[in-house]
Amino acid sequence: MFVSRLSLTDFRSYRDALAAPGPGFVILTGENGAGKTNLLEAVSLLSPGRGLRGAALADMARRGGGGGFAVAARLSTGDEAIDLGTGTTAAAPDRRQVRINGAAAAANSLSEWLSVLWLTPPMDRLFTESASARRRFLDRLVLALRPGHGQQANRYEAAMRARNKLLAEPGARDTAWLGALEARMAEHGAALAEARRETVEALGDRLAAAPEGPFARAGLALEGGEEENLAARLAAGRERDAAAGRALSGPHRTDLAVTHLGKGQPASLCSTGEQKALLVGIILAHAALVAERSGRRPILLLDEIAAHLDPSRRAALFERLAGEDGQVWMTGTERSLFAEVREGSWYEVAEGAVRAV
């Protein structure tokens, strides 16, 4: 399934824009700041969550526009077409609306039709950033395999916020309510931990079995975030957590540890190029895993993918992607960066406009 039509209204830098790409490669070229990433962000909103930037909905509406925005797309296969739409209104700029074939739907239901994975320049720092960034990255991988993962995360975080608020109140605390919140955290936390663990194991097995090639093989492991006997841990740590202003135990503290298998060293100690190659390898392996389990290949959004990839790795990436089904959106400042791409839909982006070339 691929995006055969994408329409934007008052989204980011676009008053209106329309693209009708085919399957396979979709190449967007233009100067920095032209709006290429905005188009990828629009496609990423066809899946649950806040898109590849993780931005607030109100920030996505075009400045000087009507106050809301709309992203509409047609998904096509050989014999089927599905219309998806999402956006906000001026009256409710922070409330996301979703429509599937014209009917109102929950955002989580988008995952029933489409999986979207992305790799953006800020992710190049993933292995040297905080654990929270790697955890968000991991949860996106899990979500593509288990659509219910997002709901479990939301329920866990809601219970944790309520517990933190209760612990911060002066005077005697409602211990029964605390116990109920801690039990809820333990229940949803166990589901989170199990989904993460299963995804890391399945993805790790696929990476370990991959042949040596231009993209370094990554070893994956989970660290921290103890979830065993979590309710008891939380109950015993109430005073500590009250002093800290947050829960110090639970899967919200999990970290994804990544190792360069060929060198046997943490990804954080690898060169910038090696880190990029590790990330590309993880994304490609995960896309194959999603395709195997769901029967449909996810759409890939590769923003400025040529950055930090030498010519041989770049050519190898394009060759591998060309041999697989599915749609791949890529951006770059110059068409020459994609010289090895033989077939695809090409667009030039400039001054809030998208033009097929």
Side-chain angles (χ1 to χ4, degrees):
M1 186 164 286
F2 65 97
V3 175
S4 59
R5 185 180 189 275
L6 180 68
S7 173
L8 310 182
T9 303
D10 280 340
F11 181 79
R12 293 289 189 182
S13 55
Y14 297 97
R15 180 187 299 274
D16 56 73
L18 178 66
F25 290 115
V26 182
I27 313 298
L28 309 172
T29 61
E31 297 180 355
N32 292 327
K36 304 184 298 295
T37 304
N38 294 344
L39 285 166
L40 298 193
E41 184 180 27
V43 178
S44 73
L45 290 176
L46 301 176
S47 63
R50 298 198 301 176
L52 58 79
R53 285 190 173 106
L57 291 170
D59 293 338
M60 300 180 191
R62 184 176 65 89
R63 293 184 179 181
F69 71 87
V71 174
R74 171 157 291 183
L75 307 183
S76 298
T77 62
D79 55 1
E80 185 180 13
I82 298 158
D83 291 325
L84 304 182
T86 189
T88 63
T89 65
D94 297 313
R95 181 182 177 186
R96 183 179 181 184
Q97 298 182 1
V98 171
R99 290 191 173 275
I100 299 177
N101 286 333
N108 285 339
S109 62
L110 290 169
S111 59
E112 298 175 12
W113 302 101
L114 190 66
S115 292
V116 185
L117 305 176
W118 53 79
L119 189 57
T120 64
M123 293 170 64
D124 293 348
R125 303 187 295 272
L126 184 70
F127 303 128
T128 57
E129 285 190 335
S130 65
S132 62
R134 289 183 291 277
R135 193 162 52 248
R136 288 192 298 271
F137 172 73
L138 171 60
D139 282 339
R140 286 297 312 179
L141 302 184
V142 178
L143 190 63
L145 295 168
R146 297 194 179 194
H149 184 69
Q151 189 176 56
Q152 294 287 358
N154 291 338
R155 290 175 176 174
Y156 175 86
E157 290 169 4
M160 182 171 62
R161 287 194 300 269
R163 177 179 180 269
N164 291 343
K165 183 178 179 180
L166 193 57
L167 288 175
E169 292 179 357
R173 303 188 184 105
D174 186 336
T175 56
W177 182 230
L178 276 172
L181 291 171
E182 289 160 355
R184 197 178 303 170
M185 287 177 65
E187 175 189 354
H188 299 301
L192 286 179
E194 189 277 329
R196 288 169 176 167
R197 184 164 49 247
E198 193 276 334
T199 297
V200 166
E201 289 175 357
L203 188 54
D205 289 344
R206 183 174 286 274
L207 287 164
E212 293 290 344
F215 301 109
R217 291 183 301 153
L220 307 179
L222 296 176
E223 295 181 346
E226 306 90 346
E227 71 277 356
E228 292 185 7
N229 303 315
L230 180 57
R233 287 174 181 269
L234 291 169
R238 288 173 184 171
E239 295 305 323
R240 179 197 63 178
D241 291 353
R246 63 187 186 279
L248 298 178
S249 297
H252 62 285
R253 297 177 65 82
T254 297
D255 193 4
L256 176 66
V258 180
T259 304
H260 187 307
L261 291 179
K263 290 190 170 183
Q265 71 178 21
S268 59
L269 301 180
C270 295
S271 69
T272 301
E274 288 172 332
Q275 290 182 13
K276 183 82 169 188
L278 285 167
L279 264 176
V280 171
I282 292 172
I283 292 294
L284 294 179
H286 184 252
L289 183 61
V290 171
E292 177 185 283
R293 292 196 177 183
S294 68
R296 61 174 186 261
R297 186 163 293 275
I299 290 177
L300 296 181
L301 309 177
L302 306 179
D303 194 17
E304 300 292 348
I305 188 59
H308 303 307
L309 285 183
D310 57 45
S312 62
R313 283 187 175 132
R314 195 162 61 231
L317 173 64
F318 297 156
E319 181 180 1
R320 178 168 173 177
L321 292 172
E324 299 174 344
D325 294 330
Q327 192 176 53
V328 183
W329 294 61
M330 300 189 291
T331 69
T333 53
E334 300 175 8
R335 185 162 178 154
S336 60
L337 295 171
F338 305 99
E340 296 87 356
V341 175
R342 301 305 177 193
E343 296 183 1
S345 303
W346 297 79
Y347 293 91
E348 185 176 288
V349 182
E351 297 180 355
V354 182
R355 182 174 65 89
V357 293

